[in-house]
Amino acid sequence: MSINRVKLFIGGEFVESETTQYIPVTNPATQEVIAEAPCATPAEVARAIASAKEAFKTWREVPVSERARVMMRYQALLKEHHDELGEILAKETGKTFEDAKGDVWRGIEVVEQAANIPSLMMGETAENVARGIDTYSYVQPLGVCAGITPFNFPAMIPLWMFPMAIACGNTFILKPSEQDPLTPTRLVELFEQAGAPKGVLQVIHGGKEQVDILLRDPEVKALSFVGSVPVAEYIYRTGTEHLKRVQAFAGAKNHSVIMPDSNKQTVINNLVGASVGAAGQRCMAISVAVFVGKSKEWIPELAEQLAKVQPGAWDNKDAAYGPLISPQAKQRVVSMIEQGKKEGAECLVDGTQCVVEGYPDGNWVGPTFFSKVTADMKIYQEEIFGPVLCAVEVDTLEEAIALVNANPFGNGTSIFTANGAAARKYQHEVEVGQVGINIPIPVPLPFFSFTGWKNSFFGDLHAYGKQAIRFYSETKTITARWPESEIDNGPNMTIKLQ
């Protein structure tokens, strides 16, 4: 049986790579090889960069209203093919169909925001900053931008990046995850169908070698990344060393603080979904539940509910979530669970022996729940990236805030409470970039920005929202005088406007 070899997208054409190195793309539920992703040659990466550079010359001159119309057509096509994209995504990631469609939908929302680009690209004006002098600013594109995206959201995260960058007038090179490249390929096909000019978007595949070329090539002006902490640090350091603008989104250890005055059933339902949904493979997953005071009495009931959750194949409507992305990912999660047991945490629900009927080779890990977790344990300190929830007990809200603030990550957090004063105190004092109040996973809609802090983000300007416009553009400020007469008062020897 012939294997589907994923193509590169260079100069507006899908092309077969000339490489001899391919990476297998496997179905996480069966280990069946469903495609092969090429490791683009250095010459192919260079060609993609050159094509993007050439396309920028004309794309930057396209009126902003026309760029917006491309995005309007694109979001309409994405909605039309929503279920199709969800199925492609589910098969290569293992996500359930509903979760996969949610991945696509959150990306569509960003494209809708990109369609608002005319108002987002407006500059500022001030009349008579000095006598007869006006100052105004324009927002202009940077040039060639690039994005490196992870396996866990192969629709949403590419759509965080290239629509916003291209709407701003840039051209873009996408290097999607080699573990699930089929969804990004279909996104690109639809973008071309929406009327995007040739060369505006390029797609290359591969690993570190291909990324390093993007990081070092002087024609790439800005680079966006989402992935693990070590790689994010490397991307940020290398990119900025080569004088690029970089935003690098990294790992997390997200806490949910449970106050005793919150609604018990609401808390339990939210913790179950936010901790093991998508097999815990979300940088905004809740991986630590901080029980304050008497709320610790709910831990046994939470364990009962987690134990009922069953993973399964993407097309099983009763499955709560799918397999982990790879056998290596499963092995790492299982080893972390075993480490937690050795460190003295109490494993109330153990998912290491999870079996899904009909899928003996799947990367299954069942819901896992630890109580009596302390801050010195490895399962608390490191991102597990699996369906594992750790329970920590404290006496007061102040202790909970201190615990969260001492953690090196700052991606997301939430508090469940019926007390407005407690919620206000928490949102004000917690050192985390995204806070939910009675909402477990506070990923903002795209008219706001995705604002992780501390070791969850390296850079200055975040994804989507107004900050994305700033990241993918430069501001040009003009100060102008148009004298009504030719009277000249002589040379001005100061910096003061006269």
Side-chain angles (χ1 to χ4, degrees):
M1 184 179 68
S2 62
I3 295 293
N4 172 24
R5 284 193 162 175
V6 181
K7 294 183 178 180
L8 309 174
F9 189 67
I10 300 175
E13 305 289 341
F14 282 99
V15 295
E16 194 88 37
S17 176
E18 297 176 357
T19 187
T20 58
Q21 293 181 293
Y22 283 85
I23 301 168
V25 180
T26 58
N27 179 334
T30 64
Q31 309 311 319
E32 174 195 1
V33 177
I34 56 177
E36 288 182 334
C39 294
T41 67
E44 289 167 339
V45 180
R47 209 165 80 236
I49 294 170
S51 176
K53 180 184 178 183
E54 185 64 25
F56 176 65
K57 295 176 183 177
T58 52
W59 180 244
R60 68 175 300 175
E61 303 299 338
V62 171
V64 66
S65 55
E66 290 187 28
R67 302 200 302 264
R69 291 185 195 111
V70 171
M71 297 303 162
M72 291 170 69
R73 292 192 295 271
Y74 188 39
Q75 62 90 19
L77 283 169
L78 290 171
K79 289 177 181 177
E80 181 183 338
H81 294 271
H82 184 209
D83 285 8
E84 174 206 340
L85 285 162
E87 183 171 336
I88 295 169
L89 194 155
K91 287 179 177 178
E92 65 176 343
T93 64
K95 288 187 179 185
T96 64
F97 188 42
E98 288 304 314
D99 192 21
K101 288 193 293 183
D103 184 335
V104 176
W105 185 258
R106 291 309 298 259
I108 290 173
E109 291 174 331
V110 180
V111 179
E112 289 176 337
Q113 180 71 354
N116 293 324
I117 199 64
S119 59
L120 297 172
M121 292 283 283
M122 287 181 179
E124 299 172 316
T125 63
E127 189 180 37
N128 279 340
V129 296
R131 189 171 298 277
I133 298 177
D134 306 324
T135 297
Y136 46 96
S137 65
Y138 294 136
V139 179
Q140 296 187 333
L142 298 173
V144 179
C145 301
I148 302 156
T149 59
F151 75 84
N152 58 330
F153 286 98
M156 181 183 76
I157 294 179
L159 293 174
W160 277 12
M161 296 180 185
F162 74 81
M164 297 300 289
I166 291 172
C168 286
N170 303 288
T171 54
F172 200 87
I173 302 167
L174 176 66
K175 207 299 287 181
S177 171
E178 65 279 7
Q179 293 179 286
D180 44 18
L182 302 179
T183 302
T185 296
R186 187 63 180 132
L187 293 178
V188 173
E189 291 173 346
L190 293 174
F191 190 58
E192 183 185 31
Q193 189 177 331
K198 289 182 182 297
V200 167
L201 176 62
Q202 322 279 329
V203 181
I204 61 166
H205 299 283
K208 183 177 183 297
E209 179 184 356
Q210 290 70 29
V211 169
D212 281 344
I213 296 172
L214 297 175
L215 286 170
R216 291 176 167 83
D217 194 295
E219 296 299 339
V220 177
K221 306 302 180 184
L223 192 136
S224 305
F225 170 82
V226 178
S228 67
V229 174
V231 181
E233 288 185 353
Y234 173 79
I235 294 286
Y236 184 73
R237 292 181 192 278
T238 308
T240 53
E241 180 185 347
H242 288 82
L243 307 179
K244 298 186 190 309
R245 191 175 291 187
V246 180
Q247 52 178 201
F249 298 84
K253 198 72 178 178
N254 305 312
H255 298 64
S256 188
V257 173
I258 314 303
M259 299 299 291
D261 62 2
S262 55
N263 181 283
K264 179 178 67 173
Q265 196 56 53
T266 297
V267 166
I268 290 173
N269 289 341
N270 278 277
L271 285 178
V272 169
S275 61
V276 304
Q281 296 176 125
R282 296 189 286 216
C283 69
M284 288 291 285
I286 293 298
S287 54
V288 180
V290 184
F291 290 90
V292 179
K294 290 187 177 181
S295 68
K296 66 184 178 183
E297 297 170 3
W298 305 345
I299 289 176
E301 289 182 62
L302 174 57
E304 289 176 15
Q305 292 303 311
L306 279 167
K308 295 177 183 178
V309 174
Q310 293 295 317
W314 75 272
D315 55 354
N316 180 352
K317 293 182 179 179
D318 295 325
Y321 63 86
L324 295 175
I325 191 65
S326 68
Q328 295 79 12
K330 175 184 175 178
Q331 181 54 45
R332 181 182 180 278
V333 172
V334 169
S335 68
M336 290 286 285
I337 294 170
E338 296 305 321
Q339 179 69 22
K341 296 173 186 175
K342 291 176 184 176
E343 289 178 323
E346 185 176 349
C347 191
L348 300 178
V349 183
D350 186 347
T352 56
Q353 302 303 315
C354 178
V355 174
V356 174
E357 185 177 352
Y359 296 90
D361 298 323
N363 308 318
W364 309 109
V365 176
T368 301
F369 183 35
F370 284 101
S371 66
K372 296 182 169 52
V373 175
T374 57
D376 59 345
M377 294 180 180
K378 187 176 180 180
I379 56 169
Y380 175 81
Q381 293 173 346
E382 294 187 17
E383 183 177 35
I384 300 173
F385 223 58
V388 182
L389 179 63
C390 298
V392 177
E393 299 172 23
V394 298
D395 293 327
T396 65
L397 176 59
E398 287 75 13
E399 287 181 64
I401 293 172
L403 177 75
V404 176
N405 288 350
N407 193 276
F409 298 106
N411 217 28
T413 188
S414 60
I415 182 171
F416 283 84
T417 182
N419 186 314
R424 173 64 173 77
K425 178 182 177 66
Y426 190 73
Q427 74 175 37
H428 178 66
E429 295 184 10
V430 75
E431 295 169 4
V432 176
Q434 297 168 109
V435 181
I437 297 173
N438 299 317
I439 291 175
I441 300 180
V443 176
L445 288 167
F447 26 87
F448 289 89
S449 297
F450 187 96
T451 51
W453 284 12
K454 298 194 285 192
N455 284 357
S456 294
F457 177 71
F458 304 101
D460 300 298
L461 296 166
H462 294 82
Y464 59 80
K466 291 180 181 178
Q467 291 195 36
I469 305 300
R470 296 290 300 275
F471 180 77
Y472 290 123
S473 66
E474 287 279 23
T475 301
K476 179 181 288 183
T477 305
I478 299 99
T479 302
R481 168 187 277 145
W482 295 97
E484 295 181 10
S485 68
E486 296 186 5
I487 296 175
D488 192 338
N489 296 322
N492 177 8
M493 307 303 291
T494 77
I495 197 170
K496 180 182 178 183
L497 287 174
Q498 295 178 353

